[in-house]
């Protein structure tokens, strides 16, 4: 097989890139290790910055977001039994939109297939070859046969555990920080308890109440990574959520059957550079952020957009300058969102069991300053809805 751009991975980054390339008539083939049903049902967070929604609209795949997305004009911080609202609209004039990643992926797969774009699902045992040459390729097995996909460029959009990141040279810099705790996330058949996301700090650990739809709620608890999931019965989860989200105000935690639950680690990870030869990384293949700041999908889509723009310039005979500076152009946004995600994580989690009362008082002081200072509230809101350096 022959194409101009081989896109490895059919997540948000790969699909946005394919859509952007199609707009300029650049041929690409998307390959995905999993089957279509798995990809379309893979539950991930879905906080979209205002700028991300604008990009999706420009690409013609924003209809689902506009019609079914849940618009958040602010968020709530809860600590010491009280709730404090941070208004995005009042402080920045912008909004966030909650639209589950799997719904966006469904929309984009349908849009690509409707335009006869190629997605090869269940492409197994993929390997990248000759990425330093002018004739790179991706080899894999599909429908029982061996395939070599020759191309000009490989876009590695296959996540942290994908083959693209491992094809980068050993000389690349890796910046990494692993937290000693994780998030126990649940999906419950219960109406959302609030009209926006509620972030709670408690001496027992972080908790969060948010939503996935008018009839589905998503909740998170800070837990020790050594905790077996089997130790967290449904009753224990609801009891812990109730304790950590408790408030002096009139507020009810809506409960219902738990249909999904899992414990996920918390980490920060950045690969530098994000390119090598004819291989370019985008999304989780290049960086991971703690989920506290709702930045993961936004970063992935931003990478894909910049790579698409750079490739459009190169194929349009406007030069390779944008391709050559791809890593530099992405890194400004990567580190800004990395810093904000770490800030939110350290603001709301119990970071150490050492000197618990002393650290608790410090946390309360930090949180009180955030909600009492307009400048601090504005900074949080500005970063939450998406702060971009001028380029």
């Amino acid at each position: 097989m022959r194409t101009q751009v081989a896109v490895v991975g059919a997540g948000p980054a790969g699909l946005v890139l394919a859509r952007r390339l199609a707009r300029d008539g650049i041929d690409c083939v998307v390959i995905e290790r999993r089957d279509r049903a798995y990809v379309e049902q893979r539950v991930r967070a879905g906080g979209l910055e205002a700028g991300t929604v604008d990009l999706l609209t420009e690409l013609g795949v924003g209809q689902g977001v506009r019609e079914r997305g849940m618009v958040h004009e602010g968020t709530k911080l809860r600590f010491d039994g009280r709730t404090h609202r941070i208004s995005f609209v009042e402080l920045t004039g912008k909004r966030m939109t909650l639209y589950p990643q799997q719904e966006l992926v469904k929309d984009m797969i349908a849009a690509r297939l409707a335009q006869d774009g190629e997605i090869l699902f269940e492409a197994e045992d993929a390997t990248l070859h000759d990425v330093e040459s002018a004739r790179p390729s991706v080899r894999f097995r599909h429908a029982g046969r061996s395939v070599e996909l020759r191309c000009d460029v490989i876009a590695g959009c296959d996540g942290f555990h994908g083959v693209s990141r491992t094809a980068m040279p050993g000389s690349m810099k890796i910046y990494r920080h692993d937290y000693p705790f994780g998030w126990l996330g649940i999906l419950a058949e219960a109406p959302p308890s609030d009209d926006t996301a509620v972030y709670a700090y408690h001496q027992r650990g972080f908790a969060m109440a948010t939503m996935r739809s008018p009839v589905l709620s998503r909740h998170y608890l800070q837990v020790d990574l050594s905790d077996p999931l089997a130790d967290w019965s449904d009753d224990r989860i609801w009891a812990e959520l109730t304790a950590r989200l408790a408030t002096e105000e009139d507020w009810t935690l809506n409960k219902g059957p738990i249909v999904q639950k899992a414990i996920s680690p918390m980490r920060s990870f950045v690969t530098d550079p994000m390119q090598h030869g004819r291989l370019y990384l985008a999304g989780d293949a290049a960086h991971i952020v703690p989920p506290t700041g709702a930045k993961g999908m936004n970063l992935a889509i931003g990478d894909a957009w910049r790579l698409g723009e750079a490739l459009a310039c190169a194929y349009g005979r406007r030069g390779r300058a944008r391709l050559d500076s791809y890593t530099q152009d992405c890194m400004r946004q990567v580190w800004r969102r990395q810093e904000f995600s770490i800030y939110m994580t350290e603001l709301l989690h119990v970071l150490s069991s050492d000197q618990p009362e002393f650290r608790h008082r410090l946390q309360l002081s930090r949180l009180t300053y955030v909600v009492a200072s307009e400048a601090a509230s504005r900074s949080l809101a500005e970063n939450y809805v998406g702060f971009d350096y001028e380029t």
Side-chain angles (χ1 to χ4, degrees):
M1 297 177 64
R2 181 74 173 88
T3 189
Q4 290 175 295
V5 181
V7 179
V8 185
L15 294 169
V16 165
L17 176 59
R19 183 79 177 181
R20 175 63 187 84
L21 295 176
R23 195 174 75 172
D24 273 60
I26 299 169
D27 186 52
C28 72
V29 173
V30 180
I31 69 168
E32 166 59 46
R33 180 170 63 96
R34 301 286 192 169
D35 61 49
R36 181 178 178 179
Y38 180 93
V39 172
E40 293 186 338
Q41 296 170 14
R42 184 166 46 192
V43 176
R44 297 288 187 273
L48 297 175
E49 299 172 358
T52 303
V53 174
D54 291 342
L55 291 181
L56 295 172
T57 301
E58 184 175 338
L59 287 174
V61 289
Q63 183 176 351
V65 177
R66 293 193 305 274
E67 293 180 352
R68 301 188 299 278
M70 304 178 77
V71 177
H72 287 191
E73 297 191 348
T75 194
K76 294 178 179 178
L77 300 183
R78 182 168 295 165
F79 59 94
D80 213 17
R82 298 182 181 180
T83 304
H84 307 266
R85 185 175 182 87
I86 305 291
S87 174
F88 301 150
V89 174
E90 291 178 9
L91 294 167
T92 71
K94 297 180 180 180
R95 296 165 173 80
M96 285 286 288
T97 301
L98 182 64
Y99 192 63
Q101 176 176 309
Q102 66 270 24
E103 295 302 316
L104 178 60
V105 166
K106 286 179 189 176
D107 296 345
M108 299 202 68
I109 287 175
R112 178 160 178 79
L113 297 179
Q115 293 185 335
D116 296 323
E118 198 159 16
I119 305 177
L120 300 181
F121 292 102
E122 299 181 82
E124 301 174 335
D125 303 323
T127 54
L128 312 188
H129 298 268
D130 302 319
V131 298
E132 296 179 349
S133 76
R135 300 176 64 86
S137 66
V138 183
R139 297 173 190 168
F140 54 94
R141 290 190 59 79
H142 184 257
R145 63 190 181 94
S146 298
V147 179
E148 181 178 25
L149 177 61
R150 299 174 182 173
C151 55
D152 303 324
V153 169
I154 300 173
C157 307
D158 51 342
F160 182 79
H161 298 289
V163 298
S164 300
R165 187 174 66 83
T166 60
M168 294 289 285
S171 59
M172 68 179 178
K173 294 181 180 178
I174 294 177
Y175 304 92
R176 179 170 184 157
H177 176 69
D178 293 279
Y179 290 92
F181 50 79
W183 271 12
L184 168 58
I186 67 164
L187 188 67
E189 292 179 343
S193 302
D194 211 297
D195 63 353
T196 190
V198 178
Y199 289 83
Y201 164 76
H202 191 276
Q203 275 184 291
R204 299 167 69 100
F206 167 80
M208 185 177 184
T210 183
M211 64 284 292
R212 280 297 171 264
S213 78
V215 296
L216 289 173
S217 296
R218 188 80 166 155
H219 299 85
Y220 298 98
L221 284 169
Q222 176 185 353
V223 299
D224 195 288
L225 280 176
S226 63
D227 284 3
L229 185 59
D231 286 357
W232 284 93
S233 67
D234 292 6
D235 288 343
R236 183 187 178 191
I237 290 170
W238 287 121
E240 196 65 24
L241 283 168
T242 300
R244 297 188 195 183
L245 288 163
T247 174
E248 299 170 359
E249 303 146 9
D250 183 18
W251 190 86
T252 301
L253 176 64
N254 294 331
K255 303 175 184 178
I258 295 176
V259 295
Q260 291 179 359
K261 59 181 173 181
I263 295 176
S264 303
M266 302 273 285
R267 69 167 71 97
S268 293
F269 178 91
V270 178
T271 294
D272 189 359
M274 293 170 57
Q275 62 195 94
H276 175 65
R278 296 295 183 97
L279 170 62
Y280 298 82
L281 304 183
D284 287 0
H287 40 68
I288 298 285
V289 293
T292 326
K295 295 302 169 199
M297 184 158 59
N298 296 284
L299 269 178
I301 291 173
D303 291 347
W305 180 267
R306 292 183 188 91
L307 182 54
E309 293 278 288
L311 287 167
C313 287
Y315 279 111
R317 301 185 183 279
R318 285 172 282 168
R320 292 182 50 87
R322 293 282 294 274
L323 271 178
D324 293 340
S325 66
Y326 169 68
T327 293
Q328 179 182 346
D329 293 343
C330 288
M331 281 297 169
R332 283 174 290 192
Q333 313 310 330
V334 169
W335 283 110
R336 171 86 309 270
R337 285 158 176 79
Q338 190 75 250
E339 191 280 330
F340 177 67
S341 300
I342 292 172
Y343 164 76
M344 289 288 286
T345 300
E346 296 184 352
L347 181 69
L348 292 159
H349 289 72
V350 175
L351 301 176
S352 172
S353 59
D354 179 47
Q355 297 179 295
E357 189 60 31
F358 175 79
R359 294 180 181 277
H360 174 59
R361 296 295 174 180
L362 284 179
Q363 293 288 88
L364 292 180
S365 176
R366 291 170 181 143
L367 285 158
T368 300
Y369 172 70
V370 168
V371 299
S373 164
E374 182 177 340
S377 296
R378 187 183 304 278
S379 176
L380 188 152
E382 183 177 64
N383 281 279
Y384 203 103
V385 299
F387 177 81
D388 289 319
Y389 295 102
E390 292 185 5
T391 56

